[in-house]
Amino acid sequence: VYSVYTVTVVSSHNAVYSMFFVLLGVFRYLYLSYNNTEGEQPERIIFSDIWIFASAIGWILFMYAILY
């Protein structure tokens, strides 16, 4: 859904490259939730895992850079 949103709604054609950050975060979360028993507390995983947190910060900075 996010990839369709970036292609159809966002005014910048570079927004497609933000999919890297989104996929990194989602797949890392899935990996951690399936291999550990921490899937019941997603907020703990998001703020404690450096890769998910870095992908969220990277996505925010990237979107800010291409939109403003």
Side-chain angles (χ1 to χ4, degrees), residues 26-39 45:
V26 169
F27 285 136
R28 178 69 179 173
Y29 175 76
L30 288 174
Y31 171 76
L32 291 175
S33 64
Y34 284 132
N35 290 332
N36 298 333
T37 59
E38 299 176 4
I45 292 175

Side-chain angles (χ1 to χ4, degrees), residues 43-65:
E43 66 278 354
R44 179 172 282 174
I45 292 175
I46 291 171
F47 290 114
S48 66
D49 186 60
I50 189 69
W51 289 103
I52 295 175
F53 191 72
S55 70
I57 297 298
W59 178 82
I60 290 169
L61 293 175
F62 182 77
M63 292 302 285
Y64 182 79

